[in-house]
Amino acid sequence: MQRALSPQIIGLIVVIIIIVAAAAYFATRPTGPETIKIGFFAPLTGPASADGIAARTGAEIAVEILNENGGINGKKVELVVYDDQLNPDQAIAVSQRMIQQDKVIAGVSGSYSGTTLAASNVWNDAGVPLVVAYAVHPDITKGKPYVFRVGMLAVTEGRIAAKFVMEELGAKNVAILNIDNPFGNSLVDSFKKTAGDRVNVVFEAKFPFPTDDFTPFLNQIKTLEDQGKLDVILFVGYYPHAVGVKQARELGIKAPIVGVEGFDSPKFIEIAGPASEGVYIVTDFDRDKQTDMVKEFIKRYEAKRNIAPDMVAASSFDAVMVLAKAIEKAGKYDGKSIADAIQSTKDYDGVAGKIFFFTEDGNAVKEITVQVIKDGKFTRYKTYDDPELLKP
Amino acid sequence: MAEIILQVVDGLAIGSIYAGIALGLTLVYGLLRILHIAHAGVYVVGAYTAYMVYSATGSPLASMAAAMASSALLGFLINRLFYKPLLDQPRYVPLMVSIALFIVMEELVANVFGHYPKGFHVEFLSRDISLAGATVNTRKIVVFVIVLAATLLTWALTTKTRLGVASQAAAQDAETAMTLGVRIPLIIDFNFLLGSALAGLAGFLYGYYYGVISPFMGGVVAYKGLVVIVLGGFGSVMGAYLGGIILGLVEQVMTALYPHVLPREAYAFIALIALLLFRPYGIFGRREMA
């Protein structure tokens, strides 16, 4: 009687067939990918999801425009999107997945500092370039040749805020309200360092992210103003903190309020209501810039989301575009070539401010604008475009 | 002086909102011994109902009533669909279900109404008056008065009516109450309806007070509500009210005095820890005989 093949032998044959097939596939595969896969992560669920979804929309618009114009070097661009749930462990896991399983050739972070910082090591260690849209922590790019940032650093923003408060508003007595996180703290440090003894900080308080009541501070600031000891409030927070602006005006505080990029959202105006009139914000997204790209971006965003775009969306758009231009220039798809091409970017006129160049640490040196809210809209007040001043 | 008045008024207003949330929680806890985390989700749904009705009608009172009605219904359904079948399980089972429900409700609201916070500016008794030298918006006083009235009403309902007395009997000893003819399921339904309506009221008041609502506004109150009912002694209506007011005042004053030491949220936990160490049965609770 003939003996049937043992399961071990069958298994061995299957394995050999798979190896041969895989080898044949890789040997005959054309060089370079069929489509250009770009990874993307952002918080798409949970309390930060509004920003995450805005960032994703910005990135998607960039991909849409790229593909309508023939893709990159004739290859279609595909955005591989993951939710990091604003959880650093999750950001690491999805980054590994994008690099190892999805085989993306580069990535974009549309997420905050904590998650991006955790993920940045994964990308850098794998030698796959990561372009960070708006996360501000300095360590995200520091010493990581494969990680770049198109957004502003908090230190630059604080410097511009100080110049603005002193030179444009001529203010001396400043009350500071700032969010207690690396963004708020480093921004305020930079503000104070730039201002030196040219301003008096008459009141200072820090608040955590989930703050909806600023009255404990504002009641004291009101007293200072009544005593003539207050010229301006520096308010470093995010758009949900617009409720503090409303509370300030309701209390009858009249001093100008200077905010930062965190307020750069149509939601800020909606939440603060009429109290938002006259509030200044330091940001990089200038809606009044009449370039085709800005106009096209705003048009497409409003069509998709039924709301005006914000800084988060604009930066994510720029992150994808900077990356696409670099891949096109490199003409190769390995991490080193792409990273070198990003590093050599010059004068990219994006949606969120013109990028002059990247520093050695991979940070964009870019235009910064001060916008003021007028008739319920962000409008340009002043633009800062001296690269020396804007270096992180 | 004016500043002290401002701080106290603000502390009372925010404390009133905490109290509104805690009243409902304590009604459920007293009876079922379930930590009803999903109550915070009921509160969020109430706030969004208020927003929708206000946008459609422009009537603050209709908005408030609708918030209370929708929350009452939701709380009632949560009990019938999720807690009731689990009553014979260890208490951590409904607790897990409750946490899961809360997360699901947050994400559902976010997906239906959008992930961004919404500006919700209610035009209702909002003007500046002078109070002992300080300028105070009447809205803050309205919030305080409404919650005080709701508390007194709840207290009367739970102590002066047959249903309320039966409910207290059930809370103290369900089995004995049952043998005496108390219809426990009816009592449970009653407490869920009443407690959830109060959560809806708090959701409306939050929007009215701050001018903004968000799908994730329940996150903070989910645990603050627990702090408040521990402060007040589990199951006590007046305790929950006073616990809420005290938490609001303590937070306001401590945050004003020491803005650099700790964030507002931390004071709630410090109060909780101190209380668990020294009066585990709450400020207003009574020590139970073992």
Side-chain angles (χ1 to χ4, degrees):
Chain A
M1 219 168 85
Q2 208 172 353
R3 254 180 47 190
L5 288 173
S6 75
Q8 284 89 345
I9 300 286
I10 295 177
L12 191 64
I13 292 171
V14 169
V15 169
I16 290 171
I17 291 172
I18 290 175
I19 292 172
V20 170
Y25 170 74
F26 281 107
T28 57
R29 204 169 62 145
T31 51
E34 292 296 311
T35 58
I36 291 179
K37 280 190 181 175
I38 296 175
F40 178 88
F41 62 95
L44 302 175
T45 53
S49 51
D51 282 340
I53 293 168
R56 184 185 65 192
T57 311
E60 282 169 352
I61 292 172
V63 170
E64 218 174 82
I65 292 177
L66 286 167
N67 284 337
E68 282 168 24
N69 293 296
I72 301 175
N73 297 335
K75 293 174 199 287
K76 255 180 98 68
V77 183
E78 185 190 337
L79 198 66
V80 180
V81 178
Y82 283 97
D83 178 11
D84 67 26
Q85 297 161 14
L86 205 59
N87 173 349
D89 293 335
Q90 185 68 13
I92 290 174
V94 298
S95 294
Q96 279 163 345
R97 195 186 164 95
M98 284 187 270
I99 293 166
Q100 288 161 13
Q101 290 185 23
D102 300 317
K103 308 267 180 223
V104 301
I105 62 164
V108 167
S109 158
S111 194
Y112 294 179
S113 283
T115 36
T116 306
L117 184 56
S120 63
N121 294 315
V122 176
W123 295 86
N124 194 59
D125 292 348
V128 179
L130 177 71
V131 182
V132 176
Y134 63 91
V136 290
H137 200 291
D139 291 349
I140 291 172
T141 51
K142 200 174 254 171
K144 293 172 200 158
Y146 289 95
V147 184
F148 300 87
R149 163 177 17 229
V150 297
M152 294 174 286
L153 272 173
V155 58
T156 324
E157 229 175 306
R159 188 186 308 140
I160 298 298
K163 277 187 80 70
F164 178 74
V165 161
M166 293 184 297
E167 293 167 10
E168 300 295 320
L169 301 179
K172 180 101 183 116
N173 298 315
V174 183
I176 300 177
L177 292 173
N178 85 280
I179 177 128
D180 193 10
N181 66 12
F183 167 66
N185 295 333
S186 63
L187 198 152
V188 168
D189 283 348
S190 166
F191 177 92
K192 287 185 190 162
K193 220 170 109 190
T194 309
D197 50 12
R198 286 177 289 172
V199 305
N200 300 326
V201 177
V202 292
F203 178 85
E204 200 178 352
K206 292 179 184 193
F207 58 87
F209 186 84
T211 296
D212 44 21
D213 205 315
F214 293 89
T215 55
F217 315 132
L218 294 171
N219 290 337
Q220 298 176 62
I221 292 176
K222 166 75 175 148
T223 308
L224 287 168
E225 187 173 50
D226 288 346
Q227 295 165 349
K229 289 188 209 147
L230 177 78
D231 301 326
V232 65
I233 300 174
L234 176 68
F235 196 161
V236 182
Y238 300 98
Y239 60 84
H241 305 129
V243 64
V245 171
K246 186 177 143 103
Q247 287 162 353
R249 294 298 181 235
E250 266 182 10
L251 271 173
I253 295 172
K254 294 181 185 66
I257 295 175
V258 177
V260 294
E261 63 171 11
F263 283 172
D264 187 333
S265 160
K267 281 283 154 182
F268 174 81
I269 299 172
E270 181 189 317
I271 294 167
S276 65
E277 281 298 300
V279 171
Y280 301 98
I281 61 165
V282 180
T283 183
D284 54 8
F285 180 26
D286 180 1
R287 285 110 176 131
D288 291 333
K289 202 164 168 176
Q290 293 298 315
T291 62
D292 291 344
M293 209 195 257
V294 171
K295 283 192 251 174
E296 183 67 20
F297 172 71
I298 293 176
K299 196 179 89 190
R300 287 190 189 225
Y301 193 92
E302 286 176 346
K304 265 181 192 277
R305 298 288 314 282
N306 229 344
I307 182 173
D310 53 11
M311 175 282 299
V312 165
S315 307
S316 303
F317 175 92
D318 279 350
V320 174
M321 282 299 188
V322 164
L323 185 57
K325 291 223 179 319
I327 297 171
E328 192 171 66
K329 194 162 95 186
K332 289 188 268 181
Y333 305 97
D334 62 287
K336 177 87 177 62
S337 309
I338 297 170
D340 287 345
I342 300 172
Q343 186 69 57
S344 67
T345 301
K346 284 269 170 314
D347 294 335
Y348 161 76
D349 201 3
V351 170
K354 184 173 184 175
I355 295 174
F356 301 111
F357 58 89
F358 281 92
T359 64
E360 269 172 35
D361 261 338
N363 290 313
V365 174
K366 67 189 305 197
E367 232 169 42
I368 290 185
T369 172
V370 175
Q371 307 251 302
V372 63
I373 297 164
K374 223 175 165 174
D375 303 325
K377 280 201 175 84
F378 290 108
T379 44
R380 184 195 298 153
Y381 187 84
K382 188 178 168 68
T383 304
Y384 290 89
D385 56 5
D386 172 9
E388 273 312 302
L389 183 68
L390 298 167
K391 259 191 206 161
Chain B
M1 183 60 201
E3 192 187 313
I4 296 172
I5 291 180
L6 289 174
Q7 302 288 22
V8 169
V9 168
D10 287 328
L12 287 176
I14 182 65
S16 296
I17 294 175
Y18 295 157
I21 296 158
L23 279 175
L25 266 187
T26 211
L27 287 177
V28 171
Y29 185 83
L31 211 51
L32 296 185
R33 301 285 191 269
I34 290 176
L35 287 177
H36 180 32
I37 303 291
H39 193 62
V42 173
Y43 156 80
V44 175
V45 169
Y48 272 81
T49 309
Y51 171 80
M52 272 194 305
V53 172
Y54 186 76
S55 308
T57 65
S59 157
L61 293 178
S63 162
M64 186 167 83
M68 292 176 75
S70 76
S71 290
L73 181 67
L74 182 61
F76 173 81
L77 288 176
I78 287 175
N79 173 48
R80 284 291 183 92
L81 296 176
F82 297 101
Y83 294 158
K84 209 173 174 188
L86 296 174
L87 278 181
D88 52 350
Q89 302 285 328
R91 277 302 166 260
Y92 65 82
V93 177
L95 174 64
M96 305 275 278
V97 170
S98 194
I99 294 171
L101 274 174
F102 172 51
I103 296 170
V104 167
M105 281 192 273
E106 276 190 325
E107 291 297 332
L108 268 180
V109 169
N111 280 302
V112 173
F113 294 98
H115 293 244
Y116 284 112
K118 278 194 186 303
F120 178 23
H121 305 287
V122 183
E123 293 300 326
F124 179 53
L125 299 177
S126 177
R127 58 199 176 83
D128 289 339
I129 56 162
S130 188
L131 196 75
T135 308
V136 173
N137 192 295
T138 45
R139 231 173 42 233
K140 296 171 181 177
I141 298 163
V142 171
V143 169
F144 177 76
V145 171
I146 289 181
V147 173
L148 181 62
T151 305
L152 291 174
L153 202 65
T154 306
W155 177 77
L157 274 174
T158 51
T159 53
K160 305 289 177 207
T161 64
R162 279 182 66 90
L163 198 61
V165 174
S167 156
Q168 286 200 334
Q172 278 169 17
D173 189 341
E175 276 174 31
T176 312
M178 208 145 56
T179 57
L180 292 172
V182 172
R183 287 159 66 196
I184 304 280
L186 180 76
I187 304 281
I188 294 176
D189 283 346
F190 168 73
N191 277 23
F192 265 95
L193 283 169
L194 179 61
S196 305
L198 289 166
L201 175 68
F204 165 80
L205 289 175
Y206 182 94
Y208 169 60
Y209 183 63
Y210 288 117
V212 61
I213 55 172
S214 138
F216 306 103
M217 64 193 264
V220 170
V221 302
Y223 70 78
K224 276 196 191 161
L226 295 180
V227 171
V228 171
I229 64 171
V230 175
L231 271 173
F234 288 106
S236 151
V237 168
M238 280 322 218
Y241 177 74
L242 290 172
I245 295 288
I246 288 172
L247 182 64
L249 283 173
V250 166
E251 276 185 3
Q252 184 81 18
V253 172
M254 295 303 278
T255 318
L257 291 178
Y258 309 107
H260 285 291
V261 183
L262 283 170
R264 184 177 192 117
E265 316 308 327
Y267 292 111
F269 280 109
I270 292 176
L272 181 66
I273 292 165
L275 205 74
L276 290 176
L277 284 174
F278 300 109
R279 280 186 73 91
Y281 37 88
I283 298 178
F284 308 104
R286 273 190 300 264
R287 191 193 292 268
E288 273 179 37
M289 290 308 191

